[in-house]
Amino acid sequence: MMLFQSMKMAMKSILSSKIRSFLTMLGIIIGVSSVIALVSIGQGTTSQITESLNSLGTNQLTVNITGRGATTSLTYEEALALGEIEGVDGVSPVISGNVTAKKGTENTTVSVEGITPSYETVQDFHVQSGRFLLDIDTEYRQKVALIGSDTAETLFGTEDPVGQNVQLNGRSFKIVGLLESKGSSLGGSNDEKILIPISTAERFLQSKGVRSITVTTDSADIVTDVKARLEASLDKKFNYADNSYSVFDSQEMLETVSETSDTLSMALAGIAGISLLVGGIGIMNIMIVSVNERTREIGIRKAIGAKKLNILLQFMIESVVLSGFGGLIGVGLGLFISWAVGHYSTMNVATDWNMVAISFIFSLFIGVVFGMMPANKAARMRPINALRND
């Protein structure tokens, strides 16, 4: 009964000053909504990066030759020789460049990659119609091409591009296959590209040597060992020259992204949590003002028999109700912001419901902590001193 009466009086006091009560809750609202929105955006971005890295394959290594000149590049044969290293399952050397693709009046700048038939299995790229490149295409430097779905739509519209010709920098290539749609990855769109035989690309793109090789291992468990063997072989090839190559390991990147994401999420939550503390200070200040304004009321209640616990409970409930309502509004606002960002932008958003619950509980905790001092001040008042107050 005492608790119900205290809650009733607390609600009456809060509703009697609606604007002041809302302004008091504002710090809590901003703090809770900021925590939820920032962490959701951070988690969504991490999830997007993780999906992109997973799409590369956890048993995949990418070798990039970064040095300059013929002495710091690999020939086609040397790139294929990396497949003889213990634990290597497949090798896919790539030569890349940008060209202008034209069909009739339509033209676009597109990425061209010179590849081998092993690209299909190593990179997990397949055709939805037509055929993939064959060994004979590479052997005889055929001017044939595979076209990405977005590039095909740009140049051919709704027509089937297979069997038709496309002009690449003025040279005619016959399209033998239409690639499946793969979406985007860390390297950009996988559907805005054209693939041609690597031997054709060497002359067409005037590229001296292979500078990018994708290597798959027999299993994800031996990636680290295979990476060490690759580095040993490349060190020997380039006479241990510094900065001549780099080996990208998606597993290591995943671990780094995960650690960075956790740190960033905690930092964002900490920054937003400062708003909660500021909101708590606001609650304490307003509650102190409320106690001072109601000094005579407290004196009358004590004079007619109210105990210290009754007064303490009333003001503590007021503080918790203010922070609790602020927390609920903050949760709603934070979820709305997260939804809006995910719906109206290209960013991925992933709501962390554990963080939602923690934020709300913390807002209640703030109400208890910062309401304690004003409530104690009210409860310790002597009736005679309180009644003297005008």
Side-chain angles (χ1 to χ4, degrees):
M1 189 67 183
M2 181 181 69
L3 180 62
F4 176 76
Q5 187 65 25
S6 296
M7 289 183 67
K8 187 176 178 181
M9 293 182 69
M11 288 300 299
K12 183 179 178 181
S13 174
I14 291 170
L15 293 174
S16 65
S17 304
K18 295 182 181 66
I19 295 178
R20 187 171 74 177
S21 297
F22 175 75
L23 292 175
T24 303
M25 293 187 292
L26 198 55
I28 299 295
I29 293 171
I30 293 172
V32 171
S33 61
S34 298
V35 169
I36 293 171
L38 289 174
V39 171
S40 296
I41 292 171
Q43 293 284 346
T45 302
T46 302
S47 176
Q48 188 175 13
I49 295 172
T50 301
E51 286 176 9
S52 296
L53 289 172
N54 280 328
S55 68
L56 298 177
T58 55
N59 67 328
Q60 196 174 92
L61 295 165
T62 303
V63 179
N64 292 306
I65 309 303
T66 55
R68 294 180 177 274
T71 58
T72 51
S73 64
L74 296 177
T75 64
Y76 171 57
E77 291 75 16
E78 287 173 332
L80 291 181
L82 296 177
E84 299 173 6
I85 294 175
E86 183 184 351
V88 172
D89 180 53
V91 175
S92 173
V94 173
I95 294 174
S96 59
N98 292 315
V99 301
T100 299
K102 185 177 181 181
K103 174 63 179 177
T105 58
E106 300 293 336
N107 66 84
T108 183
T109 300
V110 66
S111 170
V112 168
E113 293 181 0
I115 65 166
T116 62
S118 61
Y119 187 96
E120 182 176 18
T121 53
V122 173
Q123 302 276 23
D124 194 28
F125 256 88
H126 307 283
V127 293
Q128 55 180 294
S129 62
R131 66 170 177 86
F132 209 81
L133 298 184
L134 305 174
D135 287 326
I136 194 171
D137 297 322
T138 302
E139 184 178 352
Y140 290 99
R141 295 188 175 91
Q142 298 293 313
K143 290 184 178 179
V144 293
L146 306 175
I147 190 168
S149 56
D150 286 353
T151 303
E153 184 177 351
T154 300
L155 296 176
F156 296 92
T158 56
E159 290 184 60
D160 183 4
V162 178
Q164 300 198 51
N165 291 332
V166 63
Q167 299 292 319
L168 302 181
N169 283 355
R171 297 183 186 180
S172 181
F173 282 75
K174 183 179 180 180
I175 298 173
V176 295
L178 174 63
L179 294 167
E180 291 180 345
S181 178
K182 295 280 286 185
S184 298
S185 65
L186 293 177
S189 175
N190 290 311
D191 299 326
E192 296 178 355
K193 65 169 61 178
I194 291 177
L195 308 181
I196 62 177
I198 193 169
S199 56
T200 306
E202 282 182 311
R203 289 185 178 180
F204 178 60
L205 298 175
Q206 297 181 348
S207 175
K208 295 181 179 179
V210 177
R211 292 187 170 274
S212 179
I213 309 103
T214 300
V215 176
T216 54
T217 62
D218 292 329
S219 70
D221 298 331
I222 61 172
V223 168
T224 303
D225 293 335
V226 173
K227 181 180 178 181
R229 296 186 191 112
L230 273 173
E231 290 173 340
S233 176
L234 292 170
D235 281 338
K236 186 177 180 181
K237 159 65 182 173
F238 299 125
N239 294 319
Y240 301 92
D242 294 333
N243 303 319
S244 55
Y245 69 90
S246 64
V247 181
F248 175 83
D249 181 354
S250 58
Q251 283 188 346
E252 288 183 0
M253 184 60 73
L254 275 172
E255 293 173 2
T256 302
V257 167
S258 179
E259 291 173 2
T260 304
S261 169
D262 292 342
T263 302
L264 183 60
S265 294
M266 291 302 296
L268 291 174
I271 292 169
I274 294 173
S275 297
L276 284 173
L277 293 177
V278 172
I281 294 170
I283 288 177
M284 182 175 66
N285 290 336
I286 294 299
M287 291 304 298
I288 290 173
V289 171
S290 180
V291 169
N292 291 335
E293 288 178 348
R294 293 153 64 188
T295 299
R296 190 170 181 80
E297 174 196 325
I298 295 168
I300 293 172
R301 289 193 64 199
K302 281 201 164 188
I304 60 175
K307 296 180 180 179
K308 181 179 178 180
L309 181 61
N310 301 113
I311 307 298
L312 180 68
L313 197 58
Q314 178 188 345
F315 284 92
M316 283 297 298
I317 288 172
E318 282 188 34
S319 178
V320 172
V321 168
L322 282 171
S323 62
F325 271 123
L328 284 174
I329 296 172
V331 167
L333 182 60
L335 292 175
F336 173 76
I337 293 172
S338 300
W339 172 83
V341 170
H343 189 73
Y344 294 106
S345 74
T346 57
M347 297 177 65
N348 278 11
V349 176
T351 301
D352 188 338
W353 293 104
N354 288 330
M355 187 57 69
V356 171
I358 291 170
S359 299
F360 178 69
I361 292 169
F362 190 61
S363 71
L364 294 177
F365 177 73
I366 287 288
V368 173
V369 171
F370 286 94
M372 188 71 71
M373 192 180 83
N376 267 327
K377 180 181 178 182
R380 286 182 303 182
M381 280 187 183
R382 297 180 62 187
I384 189 151
N385 293 332
L387 288 169
R388 280 202 195 111
N389 191 66
D390 292 330

